[in-house]
Amino acid sequence: ATLINPKTYKQRKELAKELYELRKHKGMTPAEADKLLDDVNYFGCMLLHTGKADGLAGSAICSTAELMRPALQIIKTKPGATLVSETIMMEDTKKKRVLFLTDCSLNPDPTIEELAQIGVNGAECAASFGFEPRVAFLSYSTKGSGGTSPTIEKTLKAIELARKKKKEYVFDGEFQGDAAINPYAAGRKCPNALIKGDANVLVFPNLTTANIVCHLLIQLSESKLGMGMLMGIRKPVIILGRSTPLETVENLIINCAMK
């Protein structure tokens, strides 16, 4: 690996000038742009933006927000995407399968359109690693078992919209967690569903649910965190997380390179 010190990087002035050009409409001065490059997150995002790096893996020693802020400001969304969301790749060692969980870091209370895009982003993440996306939108209800409510209606409309956005992927719901990933539960609860307990992409209704579940899975089960990938963004950005075991970091960086 090549180690770079932001303070002594030979092309720092070039990065500072480019950062100033990107953010001057927000009132940033050249001096402020140069100072921001002392922040490794801004420095890394500028390396990625200018093509001096092909991917970025960070936030092992800072909060996720400290990396996502410059990523959203500098890298921005890719063409066709309406928002950026985080998809977590998780290895279920008990069932010997890989699951993609989304959105786990960015969008607190998504609208119908945002929830649909989160589902599409999750599907594209799975597809980029060679999986055939089977996207389950999660709820406290399975196919109407919980009656009707604004949250269920929002989920159903998001599924319809996601299907229009990406017809080549399977989107289905609403599902309780067991019906989404357990064939026996699906057979009992929703035998006629498109997804029959074989989902590999799980879309949570809001950030509170997603973030709590993901952290508890890591703490209470043998499931292994593979990566946290920002999707809908122009270039690969991976969230390492401050509680990520040291031995996992190497795999996360390899995943970033694969992306």
Side-chain angles (χ1 to χ4, degrees):
T2 300
L3 302 182
I4 298 174
N5 185 336
K7 294 182 182 295
T8 59
Y9 183 58
K10 291 181 179 180
Q11 294 174 284
R12 179 183 170 115
K13 289 184 178 179
E14 176 188 330
L15 295 183
K17 182 179 179 181
E18 178 65 17
L19 178 56
Y20 164 67
E21 291 295 331
L22 286 173
R23 302 294 295 169
K24 64 182 180 181
H25 69 287
K26 292 291 187 179
M28 182 176 289
T29 66
E32 288 170 340
D34 183 70
K35 184 174 177 57
L36 266 182
L37 290 181
D38 288 337
D39 183 321
V40 292
N41 295 303
Y42 276 90
F43 181 79
C45 285
M46 285 306 299
L47 289 179
L48 186 58
H49 170 72
T50 57
K52 294 176 175 59
D54 298 314
L56 176 63
S59 80
I61 58 172
C62 64
S63 70
T64 300
E66 289 178 70
L67 174 59
M68 288 194 294
R69 187 177 302 110
L72 294 174
Q73 290 175 352
I74 296 167
I75 310 303
K76 301 180 180 179
T77 56
K78 68 179 184 180
T82 56
L83 90 166
V84 175
S85 57
E86 185 195 18
T87 298
I88 287 181
M89 177 194 284
M90 186 169 289
E91 180 186 357
D92 178 358
T93 55
K94 182 179 179 181
K95 298 291 185 179
K96 296 182 179 179
R97 60 185 171 182
V98 173
L99 298 174
F100 295 84
L101 286 59
T102 189
D103 164 37
C104 304
S105 290
L106 275 163
N107 301 280
D109 187 20
T111 64
I112 293 169
E113 292 77 13
E114 290 171 340
L115 191 59
Q117 186 66 53
I118 287 169
V120 169
N121 287 354
E124 291 183 340
C125 185
S128 72
F129 285 96
F131 293 87
E132 182 177 337
R134 299 182 63 77
V135 186
F137 284 72
L138 302 181
S139 174
Y140 62 85
S141 168
T142 297
K143 294 293 185 179
S145 67
T148 60
S149 73
T151 57
I152 292 176
E153 288 301 314
K154 180 170 75 170
T155 299
L156 294 176
K157 290 178 180 178
I159 293 168
E160 292 178 8
L161 186 55
R163 288 171 176 168
K164 293 177 181 178
K165 285 175 173 283
K166 286 288 181 179
K167 296 180 181 179
E168 64 269 36
Y169 299 147
V170 177
F171 298 96
D172 201 9
E174 82 286 6
F175 292 116
Q176 292 165 286
D178 58 347
I181 61 173
N182 184 316
Y184 174 77
R188 298 279 294 179
K189 294 184 175 184
C190 52
N192 298 318
L194 294 176
I195 290 176
K196 304 179 186 300
D198 57 349
N200 55 14
V201 180
L202 304 178
V203 182
F204 292 90
N206 55 55
L207 180 56
T208 298
T209 307
N211 195 275
I212 291 171
V213 168
C214 288
H215 281 89
L216 287 179
L217 278 173
I218 296 170
Q219 297 300 318
L220 299 177
S221 76
E222 296 301 315
S223 298
K224 295 181 180 179
L225 174 67
M227 66 162 194
M229 173 73 75
L230 295 188
M231 297 301 300
I233 201 165
R234 286 191 301 113
K235 296 185 178 183
V237 178
I238 278 188
I239 307 298
L240 296 177
R242 285 170 290 178
S243 61
T244 303
L246 181 61
E247 60 272 16
T248 304
V249 174
E250 180 181 352
N251 288 333
L252 295 179
I253 294 171
I254 291 171
N255 285 335
C256 185
M258 289 173 62
K259 187 67 177 69

